[in-house]
Amino acid sequence: MTDIPLVDAKDIARRDPLTGQMLLQPTRFALHAGDRVAITGPSGSGKSVFMRALALLDPLDSGHISWHGKRVERTAIPRYRRNVAYIRQRPAILDGTVEDNLRYPFTLKAYRDVRFDRARAASLAAEAGRGESFLDKRASELSGGEAQIAALIRVLQLAPEVLLLDEPTASLDPESSRAIEGLVHAWFDVGDAPRASVWVSHDPAQARRMSQRHLTMRAGVLDEQAAPFEAAPCAREIAGGGAATTRDGGQERTQ
């Protein structure tokens, strides 16, 4: 397996545009194929800032991100975002049915080369314990958990390489949380394409289930936990791993 990371962040940093306060200290982070990373830390510590920076949803104040070894330039950002998908805590759901929401990405220029596959969408719904009739349900009738399931299916049907999951189950009931976790496990375990995930969670047990590496965030500083998690039970055994470095550039242990 190649040592080139899928995503390689080189000293990326973010400041508050109004106050100039440092929200994310210069951070190095490498995500390799097969990596399953969890990030924990107190509220306001910079976890979401880091995730949005990694997804290139917010402008970087310094540093840059490489994808498959090539620096992501402005013109390549749409293609990068197609492959590195950000899933937030409260998804944006459009009016209409679940299927209408799933069809929406295919109306965008970035996805004009692919078509909506209802059978594939129904298969993903089944992985979350929902029947095909789920696709016909009105968005206005969805519970919070169902809306998050629909949002995750909307992303997974597009076959991303990387999932950046920013507390996707924080306000969901246990059943919906398990459905979301099951969808991510199934996505990881099917197919031979390179895949990796980063999951932000306040739940240590969930972080343990969904990861092999544990990072912590405090005051904008990302650091590797001293004792890494054991491999997630449903993950394929994939050789290789990623590395995280602290803001002073010190190399942490690679898994």
Side-chain angles (χ1 to χ4, degrees):
M1 178 174 290
T2 179
D3 289 331
I4 298 175
L6 296 179
V7 178
D8 195 6
K10 303 287 184 66
D11 295 321
I12 61 172
R14 284 279 291 140
R15 293 181 181 273
D16 185 305
L18 297 178
T19 67
Q21 176 186 357
M22 209 69 174
L23 302 176
L24 177 67
Q25 299 289 345
T27 299
R28 297 182 182 180
F29 173 75
L31 189 71
H32 288 73
D35 265 359
R36 299 164 65 93
V37 178
I39 301 177
T40 60
S43 297
S45 60
K47 301 185 300 297
S48 292
V49 174
F50 170 69
M51 293 284 273
R52 289 183 60 84
L54 202 60
L56 288 177
L57 292 173
D58 297 327
L60 302 176
D61 288 293
S62 64
H64 69 273
I65 290 175
S66 294
W67 176 46
H68 288 274
K70 296 182 179 180
R71 182 166 174 164
V72 181
E73 304 294 349
R74 182 179 295 274
T75 56
I77 288 178
R79 187 160 181 241
Y80 175 80
R81 289 178 182 161
R82 174 172 174 169
N83 287 276
V84 180
Y86 176 78
I87 296 93
R88 60 184 183 176
Q89 182 178 339
R90 294 179 178 84
I93 297 295
L94 307 174
D95 291 336
T97 65
V98 170
E99 181 171 330
D100 291 334
N101 275 268
L102 301 185
R103 286 181 175 275
Y104 172 72
F106 300 96
T107 68
L108 304 177
K109 183 178 180 180
Y111 299 101
R112 292 285 173 83
D113 61 322
V114 289
R115 293 185 178 182
F116 174 70
D117 183 342
R118 183 179 170 98
R120 169 65 176 151
S123 175
L124 289 168
E127 293 284 358
R130 268 64 182 175
E132 186 170 353
S133 61
F134 177 68
L135 304 187
D136 300 317
K137 194 167 184 177
R138 302 294 301 180
S140 58
E141 299 172 354
L142 298 178
S143 67
E146 289 174 327
Q148 189 63 283
I149 289 169
L152 184 54
I153 292 174
R154 187 169 58 194
V155 168
L156 295 181
Q157 67 177 350
L158 302 171
E161 289 184 345
V162 174
L163 293 182
L164 303 178
L165 301 123
D166 194 356
E167 298 191 63
T169 65
S171 48
L172 304 187
D173 60 89
E175 180 185 355
S176 297
S177 296
R178 288 192 296 270
I180 296 297
E181 291 179 11
L183 272 172
V184 175
H185 277 309
W187 167 77
F188 231 106
D189 292 337
V190 175
D192 298 321
R195 289 173 182 171
S197 65
V198 182
W199 189 301
V200 170
S201 179
H202 280 296
D203 181 352
Q206 182 183 68
R208 194 175 299 111
R209 288 193 301 271
M210 301 307 297
S211 73
Q212 297 166 312
R213 295 171 56 204
H214 183 196
L215 307 180
T216 57
M217 178 73 80
R218 293 185 181 277
V221 178
L222 188 67
D223 199 6
E224 191 108 16
Q225 192 184 53
F229 292 146
E230 295 180 357
C234 295
R236 290 177 296 172
E237 293 185 6
I238 304 176
T245 60
T246 58
R247 59 177 172 174
D248 61 5
Q251 181 80 19
E252 296 290 336
R253 178 154 46 92
T254 301
Q255 301 207 78

